[in-house]
């Protein structure tokens, strides 16, 4: 959906002052803004994991969504889209460099993903992170009706819960961390570790992808603050050190709109497109697929290395097998992402040069994003789906692949280091992506798996993914949050 920017007031479910009973706060709005040649601002719906997960809930509640437009210096009035009120937060170029590319994606992202890439600690970035978090908190405070539920998302906004509580003690505040929460031994590298933990503790309920993330967080609370913990409950001490309000930290594994993906993949257009994709690839016996943001956490290099070695060893050959790697552009101004792109593209070039033949590429590398229809067709076409992240909060691609396979065929190779592995085992073939030899064996097993065994595994996976969809996820988080005792004795 596309629209012209407008300053129209919301028709969303809100109280008489135009404020909302449910406010989602996330770094990005579920739309992207572009400015045309005449300077008119236009917006387009932007797909993506978080958006897919939250848009239906917010729309259903006719709530508001506070977030950044994705472009620098866009000043825009709140506007209505698809039954939601979208409230843009403006980021300058310098905010983008220091808060988004800097602190969020070059400090927290690598630190929280087990320092796969070294995190950078800059005091100026921290100052920008605090400043921008305050801006989000103020926008949410202005939008929330009395006693509203505010749901804050992800590592970019960890200070918002405490800032918001200070501004609006009447609110019920939830926070969900979409990415892993690291072990305290790593987390304590962060010079501002205590402020981050205190920021999150402004929430009543803190959600994580895995039980392990929640317990890492609780351990950090114990190690770094004076608050007390008992199982998943943290008792926050007030300024005098007296025990005050309770905060719950627990796992709520996120999912996808499974039915939508299932239905999409059953449409004649998508089915025809899947056949066309296979034909375009020369109807290989085995089509393997990788779909990732081009991110160093995804283990793309490890996967391609293993695949290249299998061609080298002669255990796979380009006449019968091909790998399609979709790597969607991401965070392209961050050095570690630029280095990764160079590495991956160099590796793909070398492997294709060495093993490709006329009419048979070893790897089809696509540095693009695609609409959901094309993704569903790719999933349907692929015999083997390779998800080999070195660390991943959940990994929704794995779930999308399963939801698309109503034919109960296809093999999912899944890294042990994903949240999805915790949930989906024993259906997928699990791999440790650091163990290249082990991964090679698993890839060969996947390529040779009999249709009967594929069906047995896929059935089990589909039972799980079709039942535990994103609606259930948000209902269960919001259900726990709203059932918590009313706020009385807080700071
Ligand atoms: C991950 C994060 C999201 C983020 C997305 C895309 O899934 O958990 O918060 O929006 O990546 O990254 P980007 O930096 O483009 O928003």
């Amino acid at each position: 959906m596309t629209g012209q920017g407008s300053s129209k007031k919301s028709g969303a479910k809100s109280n008489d002052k135009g404020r909302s009973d449910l406010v989602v706060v996330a770094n990005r709005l579920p739309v992207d803004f572009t400015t045309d040649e005449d300077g008119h601002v236009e917006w387009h719906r932007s797909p993506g994991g978080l958006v897919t997960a939250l848009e239906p809930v917010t729309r259903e509640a006719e709530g508001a969504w506070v977030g950044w437009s994705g472009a620098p210096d866009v000043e825009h009035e709140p506007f209505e889209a698809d039954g939601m009120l979208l409230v843009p937060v403006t980021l300058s170029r310098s905010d983008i460099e220091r808060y988004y590319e800097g602190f969020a994606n070059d400090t927290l992202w690598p630190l929280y993903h087990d320092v796969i890439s070294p995190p950078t600690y800059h005091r100026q970035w921290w100052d920008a992170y605090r400043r921008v978090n305050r801006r989000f908190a103020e926008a949410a405070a202005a939008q929330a009706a009395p006693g509203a539920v505010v749901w804050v998302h992800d590592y970019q906004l960890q200070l918002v819960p405490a800032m918001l509580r200070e501004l609006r003690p009447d609110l019920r505040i939830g926070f969900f961390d979409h990415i892993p929460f690291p072990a305290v031994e790593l987390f304590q590298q962060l010079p501002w570790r205590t402020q981050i933990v205190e920021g999150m503790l402004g929430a009543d309920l803190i959600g994580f992808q895995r039980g392990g993330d929640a317990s890492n967080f609780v351990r950090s609370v114990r190690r770094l603050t004076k608050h007390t913990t008992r199982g998943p409950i943290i008792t926050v001490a007030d300024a005098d050190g007296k025990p005050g309000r309770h905060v719950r930290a627990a796992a709520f594994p996120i999912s996808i709109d499974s039915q939508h993906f299932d239905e999409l993949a059953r449409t004649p257009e998508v089915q025809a497109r899947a056949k066309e994709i296979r034909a375009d690839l020369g109807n290989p016996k085995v089509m393997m697929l990788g779909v990732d943001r081009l991110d160093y956490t995804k283990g793309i290099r490890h996967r391609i290395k293993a695949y290249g070695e299998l061609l080298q060893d002669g255990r796979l050959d380009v006449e019968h097998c091909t790998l399609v790697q979709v790597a969607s552009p991401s965070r392209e101004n961050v050095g570690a992402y630029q280095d990764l792109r160079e590495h991956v593209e160099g590796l793909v070039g070398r492997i294709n040069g060495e093993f490709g033949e006329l009419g048979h590429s070893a790897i089809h590398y696509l540095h693009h994003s695609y609409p959901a229809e094309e993704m569903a067709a790719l999933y349907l076409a692929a015999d083997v789906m390779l998800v080999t992240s070195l660390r991943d909060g959940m990994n929704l691609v794995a779930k999308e692949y399963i939801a698309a396979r109503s034919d109960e065929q296809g093999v999912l190779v899944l890294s042990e280091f994903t949240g999805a592995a915790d949930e989906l085992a024993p259906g997928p073939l699990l791999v440790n992506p650091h163990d290249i030899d082990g991964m090679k064996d698993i890839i060969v097993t996947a390529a040779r798996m009999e249709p009967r065994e594929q069906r047995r595994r896929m059935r089990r996976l589909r039972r799980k993914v079709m039942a535990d969809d994103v609606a259930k996820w948000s209902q269960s988080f919001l259900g726990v949050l709203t059932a918590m005792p009313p706020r009385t004795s807080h700071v």
Side-chain angles (χ1 to χ4, degrees), residues 26-28 48-51 68 100 105 109 113 153-156 177-179 209 293 295 298 329-331 337 392 396:
N27 180 51
R28 283 183 187 273
L50 186 55
V51 176
W68 169 47
Y100 170 71
N105 288 315
W109 181 269
H113 289 87
H153 290 268
D154 228 355
Y155 63 102
Q156 302 94 342
D177 178 24
H178 291 253
I179 69 172
Q209 301 283 22
R293 271 186 314 101
D295 194 298
K298 303 292 182 182
S330 186
R331 306 174 189 164
Y337 289 75
D392 214 328
L396 297 177

Side-chain angles (χ1 to χ4, degrees), residues 9-23 57-65 80 82-85 143-145 148-149:
K9 270 280 157 206
S10 164
K13 184 163 70 183
S14 52
N15 76 359
D16 50 4
K17 287 184 195 142
R19 297 194 286 175
S20 314
D21 295 323
L22 172 66
V23 180
V57 205
T58 317
R59 200 187 315 128
E60 205 178 297
E62 297 177 1
W65 185 312
E80 209 185 311
D82 278 355
M84 291 186 285
L85 182 70
Q143 190 53 48
V149 169

Side-chain angles (χ1 to χ4, degrees), residues 443-459:
I443 291 174
V444 171
T445 306
R448 294 186 183 153
M449 192 180 281
E450 293 295 331
R452 257 184 76 174
E453 176 65 4
Q454 293 187 29
R455 175 159 294 118
R456 195 183 68 79
R457 287 173 177 269
M458 190 53 83
R459 255 192 204 151

Side-chain angles (χ1 to χ4, degrees), residues 161-415:
M163 290 173 170
L164 192 54
R165 177 159 307 285
E166 215 179 290
L167 293 167
R168 291 286 306 275
D170 59 301
L171 300 176
R172 216 172 262 271
I173 303 171
F175 179 82
F176 190 79
D177 178 24
H178 291 253
I179 69 172
F181 197 88
V184 63
E185 290 75 9
L186 287 177
F187 182 65
Q188 66 189 5
Q189 284 186 14
L190 187 67
W192 310 281
R193 59 207 186 182
T194 312
Q195 290 97 312
I196 292 282
V197 170
E198 296 287 2
M200 291 166 75
L201 286 173
D204 299 291
L205 176 63
I206 307 178
F208 296 90
Q209 301 283 22
R210 302 173 312 147
D213 297 317
S215 39
N216 281 348
F217 176 74
V218 172
R219 277 187 66 215
S220 286
V221 170
R222 274 206 301 274
R223 180 84 67 91
L224 303 170
T225 73
K226 54 185 181 337
H227 310 309
T228 52
T229 70
R230 187 152 180 230
I233 304 294
I234 299 143
T235 304
V236 176
D238 65 17
D240 310 322
K242 292 203 198 83
R245 61 194 187 87
H246 297 310
V247 178
R248 176 182 285 267
F252 295 85
I254 199 169
S255 192
I256 57 164
D257 189 345
S258 316
Q259 199 187 328
H260 171 71
F261 243 91
D262 173 76
E263 283 167 6
L264 195 61
R266 289 175 196 260
T267 59
E269 294 79 11
V270 168
Q271 303 242 339
R273 176 69 189 134
K275 288 207 178 80
E276 191 179 51
I277 289 170
R278 287 191 74 101
D280 286 351
L281 295 170
N283 282 318
K285 217 169 126 207
V286 181
M287 172 186 157
M288 304 205 181
L289 176 66
V291 173
D292 311 85
R293 271 186 314 101
L294 187 45
D295 194 298
Y296 49 81
T297 59
K298 303 292 182 182
I300 302 171
R301 284 193 298 143
H302 296 63
R303 176 189 317 163
I304 292 178
K305 186 176 167 61
Y307 181 71
E309 286 190 17
L310 287 169
L311 295 175
Q312 173 80 53
D313 302 343
R315 294 169 75 189
L316 295 179
D317 67 82
V318 296
E319 240 177 86
H320 300 106
C321 185
T322 197
L323 169 62
V324 175
Q325 175 64 55
V326 176
S328 49
S330 186
R331 306 174 189 164
E332 291 183 291
N333 289 329
V334 180
Y337 289 75
Q338 293 164 351
D339 294 348
L340 173 74
R341 182 171 178 190
E342 243 171 66
H343 270 115
V344 168
E345 295 185 355
L347 195 57
V348 169
R350 268 201 305 284
I351 292 175
N352 274 337
E354 201 162 328
F355 302 106
E357 286 169 11
L358 288 175
H360 296 293
S361 279
I363 305 173
H364 296 261
Y365 171 78
L366 305 162
H367 186 236
H368 308 290
S369 314
Y370 293 99
E373 291 76 12
E374 183 70 359
M375 294 315 305
L378 280 163
Y379 293 142
L380 214 48
D383 303 293
V384 177
M385 181 80 218
L386 299 173
V387 177
T388 60
S389 314
L390 304 176
R391 181 47 91 199
D392 214 328
M394 173 52 63
N395 197 287
L396 297 177
V397 163
K399 294 191 174 182
E400 287 177 358
Y401 180 64
I402 295 164
R405 300 310 300 246
S406 56
D407 60 350
E408 298 178 341
Q409 289 297 287
V411 185
L412 175 63
V413 172
L414 182 62
S415 163

